[in-house]
Amino acid sequence: MIRGIQHRWPASSTAIHHLLYKYYDRHFPVKDAKTNISSSPLALLHICMEAAVEVHQIQLQVLKPVAAAAAAAATATGKTLSKFSMLTRFHAGYFRISLSLCGQALLWKTLIEPSIDARALRAVVSRLPSFVFVLLWSLAFLTLLALCFLYVARCVLRFRSVRAEFAHHVGMNYLFAPWISWLLLLQSAPFLRPNTNGYLLLWWLFSLPILALDVKIYGQWFTQGKKFLSTVANPTSQISVIGNLVGARAAAQMGWRESALCLFSLGIAHYLVLFVTLYQRLLGSNSLPAILRPVFFLFFAAPSMASLAWDSISSTFDTPCKMLFFLSLFLFASLVCRPALFRRSMRRFSVAWWAYSFPLSVLALAATEYAQEVKGAVANGLMLILSVLSVVVTLVLMVFTAIKTNDLLPHDDPFMCSFNNMQ
Amino acid sequence: MRQLARRRASRVAPRVHSTYSWHRGVSLFKMGREHKGGKILQTPSAGAGVRAASLRDLSAGIRGRFVLASIAGSRESERTRKIRGRDPGFRKFLYSMESKQRLAFHSEKGTGMAMQRNFGEVPRKACSFPEPGKPTPLRGCVPSKLVPFSVPIDRGLKFQMGGKEYQGSSSQSSPDPESCPSLFRYITSKSVAGFDVTPSPRGDPAFAEVPEATDDDIQAQTLCTPSLSMPIEMIGPHHAHSISISMPTTPSAFHEEHSKAVLENENGVAYPTGRQTHHPISSTAGLLQQKQAKFHSQPLPIGNSHTNMPPDTKLDHLVRPQQMPRNSRFKDKRYDSFKTWSGKLERQISSLRGKPQEPEEANDSKSTKPEAVPADRFFDALEGPELDKLKASEELVLPEDKKWPFLLRFPVSSFGMCLGVSSQAILWKTLATSPSTSFLHISPTVNLVLWCISLALMGIVSAVYVLKIIFYFEAIRREYYHPIRVNFFFAPWIACLFLAIGMPPSVAATLHAALWYVLMAPIFFLELKIYGQWMSGGQRRLSKVANPSNHLSIVGNFVGALLGASMGLKEGPIFFYAVGLAHYTVLFVTLYQRLPTNETLPRDLHPVFFLFVAAPSVACMAWAKITGDFGYGSKIAYFIALFLYASLAVRINFFRGFRFSLAWWAYTFPMTGAAIATIRYSTDVKNIFTQTLSVALSVISTIAVAALLASTVIHAFVLRDLFANDIAIAISSKMAKSSTKDDGRILASSSDTADVEATVDGHLLPVLSGEPMI
């Protein structure tokens, strides 16, 4: 069995060999080398299962002290390198905050548009002064700017951590997040019309990194390398799809139909692949730590975003849009019905909580477009509920973030210790 | 398990090639048996190398390889001492060897681990080790998994295994052969029922000699303390005879497996052995077989050996080799298993010519009817991106060192040439007729010329392949079972569709609709077969056989839909488009996932990946033809194709260092297809960028085809290795190593347990890929 694995993974490192040898030494020492372990398939199977469990345990045992050591090291060196330790603990996952805020900004922009027939919300929206939206947009912009500045500093000063992040199956996907945030912010900009040159320039600026990351990551999936999709696929992988779809929507709004369609087809093809893979629940989706469970909400963000993008491309909220929106709604309902899934991640505040907000904003956006197309009481009610929910969740998260600033950069972030381990 | 081991052992037969070697052979045999008991021969100095052939290392397949390899080396004693213990030093050595030279040590993944397991515990009682001064109670002994061996007369030690030879000059002194351990004689005389009674099966003189000599020895010797070092010394090169230990990798399957060992005779003329043993003296091997067949853990009544093994089946084929020296090319029986009529036709022809007909062997048809090769075997026995290289541990049915008949070397992937050229014809037709490329002023003559060339090529290739179907149907069958080759059975029909699409307007303006139905019928039936296999499981379910070349079986749908729609048909093209799209979705996702159970995908990027581009680029054109305009559906497919093309193109350094293969031709048509799709797109979205892109892609595809043409010509006429031996069809249908079965492969025998295996693999996966779990 072990042989078979090694055959499949011949590139496995020497360390793994050592690990397995050690395991074998322990279990089949020289003195009982005559133990007939191959006497029956059952026994062999048992041994193999045992080996699998064992390896898991070993891994956990390895990881725990590493995490503890990392935390200890971080606290010890925190005083001396206080200004840099924050950079070490910072990672691309913090772009969830900017993502949520930019999503909110876009939602608000859509809601206050006069063309939107938001009957139920009209009363609320009209009472709010217009500077509230500008305030929200500015907040999102400043947050994104600050995060980007921090991340650039991290790239310069902690390049190894960034590289480790790039190789990590969760961290890699969050590299899309800053560009998605910028594109969302671009779409919701109160002063920039989509048909201006500035918009075009900024679109290219923010879309090219997404395309480059696509080529890198999707190519890695289907050609070669160690990153098998079946092993790296996890709910955060959908961020890459969302990146393409957001880019497509922005391109469609400035009238670049072909580029929009190109990005959309990229996104939708890989969404199909990801969707099937995630539904199969291969290894990748199981390897997500409990604290990151909120990212399961991304499951319904991707189809909502696809519906929005297709709406922009085809200029009407047609049948494909509706199908995608209903799929998204169903996935949202099925996640909401499982509060137990998120219980463990809700014990303590972490930046992963911010993952709740953005999918809700996107869903509310899709519901707004749907209500605009259908013009029914149910559709309007849906829009109202979802919009209010997303606003409330975002506000609660902002409050929590303001209160629990200490938890924002924890010393035992699962991300960080895994990055450190990789280094 | 014990019974299994016993059965396995009983089928093992050493091959002995001279009277001398008979002694040595049996002593070796004895050594193997002793090792089985778990003892290690403690020879102080001499023969330390062979001492390494300790315990199950010798008996269990791979370990045998290690041992022998280390014998061959000059620093034998060092290494072999390490072999015995499971000390980390050796494991490190193994590991380094494993990474450095896979061929030499064909350690087959993690042998270090396997070394530490004890395969097949043998009961102490049953296999007692001879105590000094005591006669060995051989009765009821379980013979170990033996190393069949042969001892030709030559100089130097010569170990041959798995197609590799380790030749080493052994410098240890060895005693005279006459001082064989008495134990050995005792064994041979007393315990072997019918050893000297069994009549020579074919009156072979060599056969008769052996038992007599042994018998004399027995009478001359008294029982004395067996020298444990003796067996080792026996195989020393003292007699200026070398020992050629030919190790079939499966001791258990001596009869089924097809040893390619080279047996050498005095002249040094090598006879590659096919199914048969080609040496007269090897009939002694048959004797040994008989003898071993009686080794059970319980005492047996003497003389019932024939109940266990009917001599007819076992010995008959041993005689045939005697006819080998007068083999001509046409009488070569080794290819008979692949011939449609087992050479009967040739005989008839020769008899028509007035030549005397040679008598047919009665058992000829018996031995030459191979059974179907299971799908797993192809993955086990072959490697390489196209599953066309033989693993070092495996053996061929056909002779390895000779050029096979041309038809046997002519693979179905040759139709890839037709694909490549006829798609070029379409490209030039599109370049000449498309409004977006009218600024290039391409002459339609190019299309005509290319089309004529591709038609002629198609005719030639089809004719040759039809001949192959007629004469070597078994080869076709094996190609059909090959997980990658089977997809190439779509190639001729797709090439025909291409020819129909690329038909120059000057030849025929319109085509009759019947042509479409005629061309789509075989594609439809092939799809019924292959998609059904994917769906309904079994050995060839998609997760097992998925690899990029499966796209060939998808593309046919889209090409057919394209042709049908351009001919004006309505429902048929939509039918094929729907079928193709559904299965393309499944395949696309499966290939993207690269499941751990899917081993065929190569680690190195190969042109086969360009097939990813083929299906979406053809699908976009087909959908445009069906709907009448290049709409959203077509564009989505087109952009997917373009992205896949781009993500392949940026990985340029994966396109280096590959051996040329005829199958590459099949991988050029995706490039051509992408170029055609781009031209089609640029007619819809006409601007500088799309026009530049279409010209660039056309140039790239033409250059690729031209380069491929040049290398094909070079390989065909200069290097003359265009049609190399088609290894992929000649693998043996049985597992080559019994030891492989021992440690885990036995699980894979049934599909259910194979799934369990995959699950366990899955759990280990992150560890092996060096990925930390968070």
Side-chain angles (χ1 to χ4, degrees):
Chain A
M1 175 71 64
I2 300 297
R3 257 216 249 160
I5 294 161
Q6 289 189 339
H7 172 52
R8 285 181 193 131
W9 305 96
S12 52
S13 61
T14 322
I16 301 306
H17 279 255
H18 285 318
L19 194 68
L20 292 173
Y21 287 142
K22 205 189 297 172
Y23 170 73
Y24 260 80
D25 269 347
R26 195 138 36 83
H27 285 259
F28 308 107
V30 180
K31 62 175 163 36
D32 60 8
K34 291 192 198 74
T35 319
N36 189 356
I37 62 159
S38 59
S39 59
S40 77
L42 255 178
L44 197 58
L45 185 67
H46 176 72
I47 298 268
C48 294
M49 301 299 263
E50 207 179 48
V53 169
E54 182 81 13
V55 169
H56 270 283
Q57 285 171 355
I58 289 171
Q59 203 178 24
L60 287 176
Q61 284 166 7
V62 167
L63 273 184
K64 270 180 200 162
V66 164
T75 44
T77 57
K79 281 160 192 166
T80 53
L81 290 169
S82 58
K83 54 184 173 183
F84 289 143
S85 72
M86 194 180 73
L87 281 183
T88 316
R89 282 177 284 141
F90 181 73
H91 54 77
Y94 285 85
F95 281 106
R96 290 188 195 105
I97 301 172
S98 68
L99 212 56
S100 305
L101 290 176
C102 296
Q104 275 299 306
L106 189 61
L107 175 67
W108 279 91
K109 194 205 174 189
T110 314
L111 284 178
I112 61 169
E113 265 177 22
S115 62
I116 296 281
D117 181 29
R119 255 178 270 162
L121 278 179
R122 178 63 67 194
V124 187
V125 170
S126 59
R127 274 182 208 165
L128 284 172
S130 63
F131 77 87
V132 173
F133 165 67
V134 178
L135 200 67
L136 182 62
W137 191 87
S138 311
L139 179 65
F141 178 71
L142 289 175
T143 313
L144 183 53
L145 213 59
L147 288 173
C148 281
F149 176 74
L150 276 175
Y151 203 78
V152 166
R154 179 174 149 91
C155 283
V156 173
L157 298 170
R158 291 282 184 277
F159 185 68
R160 280 178 62 204
S161 320
V162 174
R163 217 173 48 188
E165 203 175 339
F166 193 67
H168 192 266
H169 64 283
V170 174
M172 154 177 97
N173 297 304
Y174 275 100
L175 296 180
F176 281 94
W179 313 109
I180 297 172
S181 308
W182 279 116
L183 280 170
L184 288 172
L185 211 59
L186 183 66
Q187 288 175 61
S188 60
F191 50 86
L192 205 60
R193 303 305 308 162
N195 45 11
T196 56
N197 278 337
Y199 190 97
L200 179 65
L201 189 72
L202 287 173
W203 182 83
W204 273 109
L205 195 64
F206 303 140
S207 296
L208 276 181
I210 289 182
L211 273 173
L213 282 171
D214 275 350
V215 169
K216 171 76 183 156
I217 288 171
Y218 295 159
Q220 226 174 22
W221 286 354
F222 86 99
T223 54
Q224 60 104 253
K226 280 177 283 182
K227 301 279 172 216
F228 292 86
L229 178 60
S230 46
T231 56
V232 300
N234 62 77
T236 55
S237 305
Q238 295 177 97
I239 293 181
S240 62
V241 170
I242 292 171
N244 289 310
L245 296 172
V246 171
R249 187 166 193 262
Q253 281 185 344
M254 66 181 186
W256 281 46
R257 279 287 185 77
E258 300 304 321
S259 311
L261 204 56
C262 181
L263 280 174
F264 179 81
S265 51
L266 267 188
I268 207 74
H270 292 97
Y271 177 63
L272 177 74
V273 173
L274 261 182
F275 190 66
V276 175
T277 310
L278 290 177
Y279 254 64
Q280 288 176 345
R281 288 175 53 96
L282 296 167
L283 188 80
S285 33
N286 296 336
S287 65
L288 208 63
I291 201 165
L292 283 182
R293 291 275 170 79
V295 299
F296 270 88
F297 267 43
L298 286 171
F299 260 107
F300 62 84
S304 293
M305 203 60 229
S307 130
L308 284 172
W310 188 251
D311 173 47
S312 296
I313 289 169
S314 70
S315 339
T316 54
F317 203 83
D318 52 2
T319 315
C321 293
K322 284 178 189 168
M323 286 166 75
L324 285 167
F325 171 63
F326 290 142
L327 170 67
S328 170
L329 212 58
F330 168 77
L331 291 174
F332 171 66
S334 73
L335 280 179
V336 162
C337 293
R338 285 172 179 75
L341 184 67
F342 306 101
R343 192 170 292 150
R344 277 180 67 190
S345 64
M346 297 305 285
R347 283 186 196 143
R348 214 185 66 186
F349 176 75
S350 75
V351 76
W353 283 20
W354 275 98
Y356 289 122
S357 168
F358 172 68
L360 283 172
S361 307
V362 179
L363 186 64
L365 266 173
T368 313
E369 299 288 343
Y370 176 70
Q372 197 189 357
E373 173 75 21
V374 174
K375 294 188 173 64
V378 177
N380 270 308
L382 206 60
M383 177 190 73
L384 182 67
I385 292 170
L386 290 174
S387 304
V388 169
L389 189 64
S390 87
V391 172
V392 166
V393 166
T394 311
L395 281 175
V396 167
L397 283 175
M398 284 163 78
V399 169
F400 261 102
T401 310
I403 294 172
K404 307 207 167 194
T405 327
N406 293 334
D407 284 346
L408 202 58
L409 279 171
H411 288 281
D412 54 348
D413 197 339
F415 264 124
M416 200 190 59
C417 65
S418 60
F419 293 156
N420 288 341
N421 193 32
M422 285 179 82
Q423 292 160 26
Chain B
M1 186 60 199
R2 284 172 194 175
Q3 282 176 354
L4 190 84
R6 208 180 301 137
R7 217 180 307 134
R8 197 185 303 137
S10 68
R11 288 196 297 201
V12 174
R15 274 177 253 156
V16 185
H17 285 271
S18 72
T19 317
Y20 275 142
S21 53
W22 167 238
H23 298 285
R24 282 178 238 127
V26 181
S27 53
L28 236 189
F29 156 58
K30 187 170 79 67
M31 183 177 70
R33 182 180 56 77
E34 288 162 358
H35 293 158
K36 192 64 185 176
K39 305 254 172 151
I40 295 157
L41 297 174
Q42 300 289 348
T43 318
S45 62
V50 187
R51 186 183 56 185
S54 61
L55 55 153
R56 52 237 174 268
D57 293 357
L58 185 62
S59 44
I62 337 168
R63 284 147 295 279
R65 282 165 198 288
F66 277 96
V67 169
L68 290 173
S70 54
I71 291 168
S74 51
R75 290 151 292 167
E76 309 142 350
S77 46
E78 271 181 46
R79 284 184 188 174
T80 47
R81 218 170 291 130
K82 285 177 180 175
I83 280 182
R84 281 181 46 237
R86 296 141 206 86
D87 54 339
F90 175 58
R91 245 176 279 128
K92 219 163 152 190
F93 163 70
L94 278 190
Y95 181 64
S96 65
M97 289 309 283
E98 188 181 332
S99 50
K100 273 182 210 152
Q101 44 178 61
R102 289 194 180 181
L103 287 181
F105 263 68
H106 192 70
S107 56
E108 178 118 348
K109 327 112 203 171
T111 318
M113 227 72 54
M115 290 281 298
Q116 304 190 14
R117 304 191 201 170
N118 190 1
F119 292 94
E121 187 188 29
V122 174
R124 282 287 178 131
K125 181 182 64 170
C127 189
S128 57
F129 192 77
E131 296 295 324
K134 246 170 96 184
T136 312
L138 201 79
R139 188 187 66 158
C141 171
V142 178
S144 68
K145 282 177 272 181
L146 257 197
V147 183
F149 60 94
S150 56
V151 187
I153 299 153
D154 197 6
R155 276 159 302 282
L157 266 173
K158 182 167 186 182
F159 299 96
Q160 165 130 16
M161 48 207 157
K164 268 124 225 111
E165 285 186 354
Y166 302 93
Q167 203 144 11
S169 57
S170 139
S171 55
Q172 300 114 349
S173 64
S174 65
D176 194 88
E178 294 308 310
S179 60
C180 276
S182 59
L183 169 68
F184 154 60
R185 272 134 202 164
Y186 179 77
I187 293 163
T188 48
S189 67
K190 291 291 185 282
S191 67
V192 179
F195 180 75
D196 44 3
V197 192
T198 312
S200 165
R202 294 286 181 217
D204 190 348
F207 176 81
E209 269 176 35
V210 175
E212 280 167 19
T214 321
D215 215 11
D216 289 345
D217 285 341
I218 294 154
Q219 278 151 27
Q221 299 273 337
T222 54
L223 296 177
C224 62
T225 309
S227 156
L228 296 185
S229 62
M230 216 44 117
I232 296 133
E233 291 157 351
M234 290 309 297
I235 60 171
H238 196 68
H239 321 280
H241 300 320
S242 83
I243 302 164
S244 160
I245 300 189
S246 69
M247 297 186 62
T249 39
T250 162
S252 69
F254 176 67
H255 297 294
E256 292 89 349
E257 61 106 35
H258 318 288
S259 163
K260 62 185 173 205
V262 176
L263 309 177
E264 290 194 11
N265 64 7
E266 279 151 302
N267 305 328
V269 178
Y271 292 132
T273 63
R275 257 182 117 71
Q276 308 94 2
T277 324
H278 298 294
H279 204 283
I281 307 175
S282 62
S283 50
T284 31
L287 184 74
L288 254 184
Q289 279 169 256
Q290 279 189 321
K291 189 179 72 171
Q292 287 164 16
K294 301 192 289 85
F295 281 159
H296 291 281
S297 53
Q298 299 302 318
L300 273 183
I302 286 176
N304 65 346
S305 66
H306 295 278
T307 58
N308 287 335
M309 191 180 298
D312 273 353
T313 57
K314 299 294 174 189
L315 292 176
D316 270 355
H317 67 274
L318 295 169
V319 184
R320 221 181 305 134
Q322 296 175 25
Q323 297 159 357
M324 276 307 295
R326 55 183 165 94
N327 66 338
S328 70
R329 228 173 81 82
F330 287 106
K331 301 218 174 63
D332 199 339
K333 301 275 186 304
R334 289 168 293 174
Y335 303 110
D336 274 4
S337 60
F338 280 73
K339 281 181 184 167
T340 312
W341 298 293
S342 303
K344 274 181 212 152
L345 182 75
E346 282 157 3
R347 272 193 289 275
Q348 282 167 5
I349 291 169
S350 66
S351 72
L352 280 177
R353 278 197 193 129
K355 284 183 188 170
Q357 202 162 342
E358 54 188 276
E360 286 184 35
E361 287 84 9
N363 62 336
D364 203 9
S365 58
K366 224 185 292 174
S367 62
T368 58
K369 264 304 160 215
E371 61 270 49
V373 183
D376 288 339
R377 281 298 297 141
F378 284 102
F379 297 116
D380 290 341
L382 297 169
E383 61 189 358
E386 285 166 36
L387 284 187
D388 57 351
K389 287 178 212 137
L390 197 71
K391 284 184 187 166
S393 62
E394 296 290 335
E395 295 174 354
L396 289 182
V397 185
L398 298 179
E400 197 182 15
D401 55 341
K402 265 178 86 170
K403 265 203 167 182
W404 301 346
F406 174 73
L407 288 177
L408 273 183
R409 288 182 280 125
F410 191 78
V412 70
S413 30
S414 312
F415 280 104
M417 282 192 284
C418 305
L419 282 181
V421 179
S422 52
S423 62
Q424 278 293 310
I426 303 176
L427 172 69
W428 286 92
K429 182 187 180 184
T430 321
L431 277 175
T433 55
S434 171
S436 65
T437 53
S438 57
F439 66 94
L440 291 171
H441 303 297
I442 304 283
S443 162
T445 326
V446 185
N447 170 33
L448 185 66
V449 170
L450 279 172
W451 189 77
C452 290
I453 292 174
S454 54
L455 192 67
L457 194 66
M458 184 73 201
I460 294 168
V461 174
S462 312
V464 175
Y465 205 73
V466 165
L467 284 180
K468 187 179 178 184
I469 292 175
I470 293 172
F471 289 111
Y472 292 101
F473 190 72
E474 172 62 22
I476 308 281
R477 215 161 64 105
R478 279 166 172 260
E479 282 195 305
Y480 182 73
Y481 287 134
H482 191 277
I484 291 181
R485 290 288 176 81
V486 65
N487 300 298
F488 281 89
F489 280 86
F490 284 92
W493 315 110
I494 297 173
C496 287
L497 291 171
F498 278 168
L499 281 177
I501 295 171
M503 184 169 288
S506 53
V507 174
T510 54
L511 293 164
H512 198 267
L515 179 70
W516 187 79
Y517 289 104
V518 168
L519 288 179
M520 291 315 283
I523 291 185
F524 177 70
F525 285 114
L526 270 176
E527 279 171 1
L528 278 187
K529 177 75 183 162
I530 286 173
Y531 298 166
Q533 275 176 352
W534 291 357
M535 184 170 53
S536 57
Q539 287 177 329
R540 281 163 228 277
R541 74 191 111 159
L542 186 58
S543 58
K544 283 201 170 182
V545 301
N547 65 76
S549 67
N550 288 122
H551 279 113
L552 276 176
S553 59
I554 301 282
V555 168
N557 292 304
F558 297 128
V559 179
L562 176 63
L563 177 67
S566 52
M567 283 162 73
L569 299 170
K570 279 267 172 266
E571 302 304 316
I574 292 182
F575 170 77
F576 277 104
Y577 193 89
V579 171
L581 191 64
H583 290 95
Y584 178 62
T585 312
V586 173
L587 183 67
F588 188 65
V589 173
T590 311
L591 287 182
Y592 245 97
Q593 285 177 344
R594 297 202 294 161
L595 295 169
T597 51
N598 175 7
E599 295 179 31
T600 45
L601 274 176
R603 298 196 66 74
D604 49 349
L605 191 88
H606 196 266
V608 74
F609 275 100
F610 267 100
L611 283 175
F612 265 98
V613 183
S617 58
V618 181
C620 81
M621 287 186 282
W623 189 245
K625 276 279 185 226
I626 289 171
T627 57
D629 72 320
F630 206 81
Y632 286 137
S634 304
K635 281 178 185 170
I636 287 178
Y638 171 68
F639 287 129
I640 291 171
L642 208 62
F643 172 76
L644 293 174
Y645 199 139
S647 60
L648 285 179
V650 295
R651 288 169 166 72
I652 197 95
N653 60 335
F654 299 139
F655 292 96
R656 293 181 305 185
F658 293 116
R659 193 173 49 85
F660 173 78
S661 148
L662 204 55
W664 284 28
W665 274 100
Y667 312 140
T668 57
F669 92 88
M671 292 188 194
T672 316
I676 300 169
T678 309
I679 295 170
R680 179 71 187 80
Y681 176 70
S682 68
T683 57
D684 201 66
V685 184
K686 193 174 175 182
N687 57 35
I688 292 292
F689 177 71
T690 55
Q691 281 173 327
T692 314
L693 191 67
S694 54
V695 171
L697 289 185
S698 307
V699 167
I700 290 173
S701 83
T702 309
I703 287 176
V705 170
L708 213 48
L709 186 71
S711 51
T712 308
V713 166
I714 288 173
H715 279 271
F717 298 111
V718 180
L719 301 175
R720 292 184 179 280
D721 62 349
L722 184 60
F723 296 103
N725 279 356
D726 193 6
I727 304 294
I729 61 165
I731 61 167
S732 54
S733 56
K734 286 290 194 304
M735 185 71 73
K737 287 190 297 291
S738 60
S739 59
T740 322
K741 275 179 196 159
D742 276 345
D743 54 7
R745 280 299 169 157
I746 202 162
L747 282 175
S749 56
S750 76
S751 61
D752 288 347
T753 42
D755 286 344
V756 172
E757 186 188 24
T759 318
V760 177
D761 284 354
H763 284 303
L764 287 170
L765 222 75
V767 190
L768 293 171
S769 56
E771 193 135 11
M773 301 260 291
I774 54 173

